[in-house]
Amino acid sequence: MKLIRVLAFPLTPLYYIVTSLRNRLYDWGIKKSVDFNFPVICVGNLSVGGTGKTPMIEYLIRLLRDDFEIATLSRGYKRKSKGFLMAHGQVKVEDLGDEPYQFYTKFKETITVAVDSDRVNGIKKLKALRPQVHTVLLDDAFQHRRVRAGLNILLTSFDNLYVNDYVLPAGNLREGVKGAGRADIIVITKCPEHLSYEKKESVLKAIDPKGNQQVFFSFIKYANEVYSSKKVLTLDDLKNLTLVTGIANASPLVEFLRGRGLEFEHLSFKDHYEFSLKDVKRFESLTTILTTEKDFMRLREYDALKDKLYYIPIELGIDQHTDFDRAVRRFVSSS
């Protein structure tokens, strides 16, 4: 993979020019953005996956759902449906995509979940079908500039800050580092839970936020319990364990499990991997499978795995969360 990146390096300036020109056209008003007269919060990143957008969306849902009518709108990456689709009782993971399906499975009693690659169209249809929706959470839409969100939350991983990366194809950035200037809030994700003051200052110096930008540090909180379709166990109950992941960066989970003293084989697949029947046949010979919640949404459809398949829930923890919560609530209440 590294060799491919090196060979592709000459294309990087061209990609940078194209994405920069696109952004300038929006900045200059030549390409038009659409405003909405209700709160729209965009959660996204500059890099290609792996920064923790799903836990952040779930954090915002938990923060706001008791006081406001919330809807999530995602592209629905790798879904088999087309156009606008609102989640309903008969919907399947292949209709929505794994992350929106996860939102629907966990929060369907309290929020509306929809997908549309055209976010403008998606927001308009959401409001037409659910006029009571007060706030729309846009998942992975930082580069979707046809919508002018009222609050932009940009995520970047602690161990791979956007300022240390390159644009595609040599690096992982979807656009140049200057794009971070559009963010209202920058969240450094996947930090060690107890991050020193010196480390924080080092990160702040590296990203050099604008005066109007708030920066927060966040970490992943893993549960002690694991869940299957039928029961709940503790991590210590798991025997002859195999970890199966299809996410961009499984390192934090691997490190957590090893820190708990668990021994396991790790079968790692690419992000949003579509497990095949051949994969499932291979998994049938395993004793106990632990996976992420996102991967569980795809694998739980196979009856042969139901007695051995478990997922470990995660939540986002935010340092100085009171200030973060206040900033989000202030925006939602005043919009």
Side-chain angles (χ1 to χ4, degrees), residues 33-68:
S33 299
V34 179
D35 291 294
F36 293 92
N37 61 354
F38 50 86
V40 176
I41 300 176
C42 168
V43 174
N45 52 22
L46 295 186
S47 63
V48 182
T51 57
K53 294 183 294 294
T54 301
M56 174 57 75
I57 291 288
E58 293 189 355
Y59 184 98
L60 294 172
I61 291 171
R62 294 186 179 99
L63 174 65
L64 300 171
R65 63 179 174 176
D66 290 341
D67 300 311
F68 305 97

Short mmCIF file of all heavy atoms in Angstrom, two decimals, residues 33-68:
data_model
loop_
_atom_site.label_atom_id
_atom_site.label_comp_id
_atom_site.label_asym_id
_atom_site.label_seq_id
_atom_site.Cartn_x
_atom_site.Cartn_y
_atom_site.Cartn_z
N SER A 33 -24.49 27.57 -1.75
CA SER A 33 -24.85 26.73 -0.61
C SER A 33 -26.26 27.07 -0.17
O SER A 33 -26.72 28.20 -0.34
CB SER A 33 -23.88 26.95 0.56
OG SER A 33 -22.56 26.61 0.21
N VAL A 34 -26.93 26.10 0.42
CA VAL A 34 -28.32 26.28 0.86
C VAL A 34 -28.37 26.41 2.38
O VAL A 34 -27.80 25.58 3.10
CB VAL A 34 -29.20 25.09 0.41
CG1 VAL A 34 -30.63 25.27 0.90
CG2 VAL A 34 -29.16 24.95 -1.10
N ASP A 35 -29.02 27.45 2.85
CA ASP A 35 -29.24 27.65 4.29
C ASP A 35 -30.61 27.12 4.67
O ASP A 35 -31.55 27.13 3.86
CB ASP A 35 -29.17 29.13 4.66
CG ASP A 35 -27.78 29.68 4.54
OD1 ASP A 35 -26.91 29.27 5.32
OD2 ASP A 35 -27.55 30.54 3.66
N PHE A 36 -30.74 26.69 5.94
CA PHE A 36 -32.03 26.26 6.47
C PHE A 36 -32.33 27.05 7.73
O PHE A 36 -31.42 27.43 8.47
CB PHE A 36 -32.03 24.75 6.75
CG PHE A 36 -31.93 23.92 5.51
CD1 PHE A 36 -30.68 23.51 5.02
CD2 PHE A 36 -33.06 23.56 4.80
CE1 PHE A 36 -30.58 22.75 3.86
CE2 PHE A 36 -32.97 22.80 3.64
CZ PHE A 36 -31.72 22.39 3.17
N ASN A 37 -33.63 27.29 7.96
CA ASN A 37 -34.02 28.13 9.10
C ASN A 37 -34.29 27.30 10.36
O ASN A 37 -35.15 27.65 11.16
CB ASN A 37 -35.24 28.98 8.75
CG ASN A 37 -36.44 28.12 8.39
OD1 ASN A 37 -36.35 26.91 8.30
ND2 ASN A 37 -37.59 28.78 8.20
N PHE A 38 -33.57 26.21 10.50
CA PHE A 38 -33.62 25.38 11.71
C PHE A 38 -32.22 24.80 11.91
O PHE A 38 -31.39 24.84 10.98
CB PHE A 38 -34.67 24.27 11.57
CG PHE A 38 -34.58 23.48 10.30
CD1 PHE A 38 -33.74 22.38 10.20
CD2 PHE A 38 -35.33 23.84 9.18
CE1 PHE A 38 -33.65 21.66 9.04
CE2 PHE A 38 -35.25 23.11 8.01
CZ PHE A 38 -34.40 22.02 7.93
N PRO A 39 -31.92 24.28 13.09
CA PRO A 39 -30.54 23.85 13.37
C PRO A 39 -30.10 22.65 12.53
O PRO A 39 -30.78 21.62 12.50
CB PRO A 39 -30.58 23.48 14.86
CG PRO A 39 -31.78 24.17 15.42
CD PRO A 39 -32.78 24.21 14.29
N VAL A 40 -28.98 22.81 11.86
CA VAL A 40 -28.33 21.73 11.12
C VAL A 40 -26.90 21.62 11.63
O VAL A 40 -26.14 22.60 11.57
CB VAL A 40 -28.34 21.97 9.59
CG1 VAL A 40 -27.56 20.86 8.88
CG2 VAL A 40 -29.76 22.06 9.07
N ILE A 41 -26.55 20.47 12.15
CA ILE A 41 -25.21 20.23 12.68
C ILE A 41 -24.50 19.23 11.77
O ILE A 41 -25.00 18.14 11.52
CB ILE A 41 -25.25 19.68 14.12
CG1 ILE A 41 -25.96 20.67 15.05
CG2 ILE A 41 -23.84 19.39 14.63
CD1 ILE A 41 -26.13 20.15 16.48
N CYS A 42 -23.33 19.60 11.29
CA CYS A 42 -22.53 18.72 10.44
C CYS A 42 -21.39 18.12 11.25
O CYS A 42 -20.65 18.85 11.92
CB CYS A 42 -21.98 19.51 9.25
SG CYS A 42 -20.72 18.64 8.31
N VAL A 43 -21.26 16.80 11.19
CA VAL A 43 -20.13 16.10 11.80
C VAL A 43 -19.32 15.48 10.67
O VAL A 43 -19.85 14.75 9.83
CB VAL A 43 -20.61 15.00 12.76
CG1 VAL A 43 -19.42 14.17 13.27
CG2 VAL A 43 -21.37 15.61 13.93
N GLY A 44 -18.03 15.79 10.60
CA GLY A 44 -17.22 15.25 9.52
C GLY A 44 -15.74 15.31 9.83
O GLY A 44 -15.33 15.53 10.97
N ASN A 45 -14.94 15.12 8.81
CA ASN A 45 -13.49 15.13 8.98
C ASN A 45 -12.84 15.55 7.67
O ASN A 45 -13.50 15.70 6.65
CB ASN A 45 -12.98 13.76 9.43
CG ASN A 45 -13.47 12.63 8.55
OD1 ASN A 45 -13.85 12.84 7.40
ND2 ASN A 45 -13.48 11.42 9.08
N LEU A 46 -11.53 15.73 7.70
CA LEU A 46 -10.79 15.98 6.48
C LEU A 46 -10.25 14.70 5.88
O LEU A 46 -9.99 14.63 4.68
CB LEU A 46 -9.62 16.94 6.75
CG LEU A 46 -9.94 18.37 7.18
CD1 LEU A 46 -8.66 19.19 7.26
CD2 LEU A 46 -10.92 19.03 6.23
N SER A 47 -10.08 13.68 6.72
CA SER A 47 -9.46 12.44 6.26
C SER A 47 -10.50 11.42 5.84
O SER A 47 -11.70 11.60 6.03
CB SER A 47 -8.58 11.86 7.37
OG SER A 47 -9.37 11.52 8.50
N VAL A 48 -10.02 10.33 5.27
CA VAL A 48 -10.90 9.26 4.79
C VAL A 48 -11.13 8.27 5.93
O VAL A 48 -10.33 7.38 6.16
CB VAL A 48 -10.27 8.53 3.58
CG1 VAL A 48 -11.21 7.45 3.07
CG2 VAL A 48 -9.94 9.52 2.49
N GLY A 49 -12.21 8.44 6.67
CA GLY A 49 -12.64 7.48 7.68
C GLY A 49 -11.74 7.39 8.90
O GLY A 49 -10.64 7.94 8.96
N GLY A 50 -12.25 6.68 9.91
CA GLY A 50 -11.46 6.32 11.07
C GLY A 50 -11.30 7.37 12.14
O GLY A 50 -10.45 7.23 13.03
N THR A 51 -12.11 8.44 12.13
CA THR A 51 -11.95 9.47 13.15
C THR A 51 -13.02 9.42 14.24
O THR A 51 -12.97 10.19 15.19
CB THR A 51 -11.97 10.88 12.53
OG1 THR A 51 -13.19 11.04 11.80
CG2 THR A 51 -10.79 11.08 11.59
N GLY A 52 -14.00 8.54 14.11
CA GLY A 52 -15.00 8.40 15.16
C GLY A 52 -16.27 9.20 14.95
O GLY A 52 -16.86 9.70 15.92
N LYS A 53 -16.72 9.32 13.70
CA LYS A 53 -17.94 10.09 13.44
C LYS A 53 -19.18 9.44 14.06
O LYS A 53 -20.05 10.12 14.57
CB LYS A 53 -18.14 10.25 11.93
CG LYS A 53 -17.08 11.08 11.24
CD LYS A 53 -17.37 11.26 9.76
CE LYS A 53 -17.30 9.96 9.00
NZ LYS A 53 -15.94 9.38 8.95
N THR A 54 -19.26 8.11 13.99
CA THR A 54 -20.44 7.41 14.53
C THR A 54 -20.60 7.64 16.03
O THR A 54 -21.70 8.00 16.48
CB THR A 54 -20.38 5.91 14.19
OG1 THR A 54 -20.33 5.76 12.77
CG2 THR A 54 -21.60 5.19 14.73
N PRO A 55 -19.56 7.45 16.85
CA PRO A 55 -19.71 7.75 18.28
C PRO A 55 -20.08 9.21 18.55
O PRO A 55 -20.83 9.50 19.49
CB PRO A 55 -18.34 7.40 18.87
CG PRO A 55 -17.75 6.42 17.92
CD PRO A 55 -18.25 6.82 16.57
N MET A 56 -19.59 10.13 17.72
CA MET A 56 -19.94 11.53 17.92
C MET A 56 -21.41 11.79 17.62
O MET A 56 -22.10 12.50 18.37
CB MET A 56 -19.05 12.43 17.05
CG MET A 56 -19.45 13.91 17.08
SD MET A 56 -19.48 14.64 18.75
CE MET A 56 -17.71 14.82 19.04
N ILE A 57 -21.92 11.23 16.53
CA ILE A 57 -23.35 11.37 16.23
C ILE A 57 -24.18 10.80 17.36
O ILE A 57 -25.18 11.41 17.80
CB ILE A 57 -23.70 10.67 14.90
CG1 ILE A 57 -23.08 11.40 13.70
CG2 ILE A 57 -25.22 10.56 14.73
CD1 ILE A 57 -23.73 12.72 13.36
N GLU A 58 -23.80 9.65 17.88
CA GLU A 58 -24.56 9.04 18.98
C GLU A 58 -24.46 9.90 20.24
O GLU A 58 -25.43 9.99 21.01
CB GLU A 58 -24.06 7.62 19.23
CG GLU A 58 -24.38 6.68 18.08
CD GLU A 58 -24.09 5.22 18.41
OE1 GLU A 58 -23.56 4.95 19.51
OE2 GLU A 58 -24.40 4.35 17.57
N TYR A 59 -23.33 10.52 20.48
CA TYR A 59 -23.19 11.43 21.62
C TYR A 59 -24.18 12.59 21.48
O TYR A 59 -24.87 12.96 22.45
CB TYR A 59 -21.76 11.97 21.69
CG TYR A 59 -21.48 12.85 22.88
CD1 TYR A 59 -20.87 12.35 24.02
CD2 TYR A 59 -21.84 14.20 22.87
CE1 TYR A 59 -20.61 13.16 25.12
CE2 TYR A 59 -21.59 15.02 23.96
CZ TYR A 59 -20.98 14.49 25.08
OH TYR A 59 -20.75 15.31 26.17
N LEU A 60 -24.27 13.17 20.28
CA LEU A 60 -25.18 14.29 20.05
C LEU A 60 -26.64 13.86 20.19
O LEU A 60 -27.48 14.61 20.71
CB LEU A 60 -24.93 14.89 18.67
CG LEU A 60 -23.57 15.56 18.47
CD1 LEU A 60 -23.37 15.93 17.00
CD2 LEU A 60 -23.43 16.78 19.36
N ILE A 61 -26.95 12.65 19.73
CA ILE A 61 -28.32 12.14 19.89
C ILE A 61 -28.68 12.07 21.37
O ILE A 61 -29.75 12.54 21.79
CB ILE A 61 -28.45 10.75 19.23
CG1 ILE A 61 -28.36 10.87 17.71
CG2 ILE A 61 -29.78 10.11 19.63
CD1 ILE A 61 -28.26 9.52 17.00
N ARG A 62 -27.80 11.49 22.17
CA ARG A 62 -28.07 11.36 23.61
C ARG A 62 -28.16 12.72 24.29
O ARG A 62 -28.94 12.92 25.22
CB ARG A 62 -26.99 10.50 24.27
CG ARG A 62 -26.99 9.04 23.82
CD ARG A 62 -25.99 8.22 24.63
NE ARG A 62 -26.01 6.82 24.23
CZ ARG A 62 -25.13 6.27 23.39
NH1 ARG A 62 -24.16 7.02 22.88
NH2 ARG A 62 -25.21 4.99 23.07
N LEU A 63 -27.35 13.66 23.81
CA LEU A 63 -27.34 15.00 24.40
C LEU A 63 -28.64 15.75 24.15
O LEU A 63 -29.14 16.47 25.02
CB LEU A 63 -26.16 15.79 23.83
CG LEU A 63 -26.05 17.27 24.22
CD1 LEU A 63 -25.80 17.41 25.71
CD2 LEU A 63 -24.93 17.94 23.41
N LEU A 64 -29.23 15.57 22.95
CA LEU A 64 -30.32 16.44 22.51
C LEU A 64 -31.70 15.80 22.50
O LEU A 64 -32.71 16.50 22.51
CB LEU A 64 -30.01 16.97 21.11
CG LEU A 64 -28.73 17.79 20.95
CD1 LEU A 64 -28.46 18.06 19.48
CD2 LEU A 64 -28.83 19.10 21.73
N ARG A 65 -31.79 14.47 22.44
CA ARG A 65 -33.06 13.82 22.12
C ARG A 65 -34.16 14.05 23.16
O ARG A 65 -35.34 13.99 22.82
CB ARG A 65 -32.85 12.31 21.95
CG ARG A 65 -32.35 11.61 23.21
CD ARG A 65 -32.19 10.12 22.99
NE ARG A 65 -31.58 9.49 24.15
CZ ARG A 65 -31.39 8.18 24.26
NH1 ARG A 65 -31.77 7.38 23.28
NH2 ARG A 65 -30.82 7.67 25.34
N ASP A 66 -33.81 14.30 24.41
CA ASP A 66 -34.85 14.49 25.43
C ASP A 66 -35.55 15.84 25.31
O ASP A 66 -36.67 16.00 25.80
CB ASP A 66 -34.24 14.34 26.83
CG ASP A 66 -33.84 12.91 27.15
OD1 ASP A 66 -34.34 11.99 26.48
OD2 ASP A 66 -33.02 12.71 28.06
N ASP A 67 -34.89 16.80 24.67
CA ASP A 67 -35.43 18.15 24.61
C ASP A 67 -35.82 18.61 23.20
O ASP A 67 -36.55 19.59 23.06
CB ASP A 67 -34.40 19.14 25.16
CG ASP A 67 -34.05 18.85 26.61
OD1 ASP A 67 -34.98 18.66 27.41
OD2 ASP A 67 -32.85 18.79 26.93
N PHE A 68 -35.33 17.89 22.19
CA PHE A 68 -35.58 18.31 20.81
C PHE A 68 -35.90 17.09 19.95
O PHE A 68 -35.44 15.98 20.22
CB PHE A 68 -34.36 19.04 20.23
CG PHE A 68 -33.89 20.20 21.04
CD1 PHE A 68 -32.84 20.05 21.95
CD2 PHE A 68 -34.48 21.44 20.92
CE1 PHE A 68 -32.40 21.12 22.71
CE2 PHE A 68 -34.05 22.52 21.67
CZ PHE A 68 -33.00 22.36 22.57
#
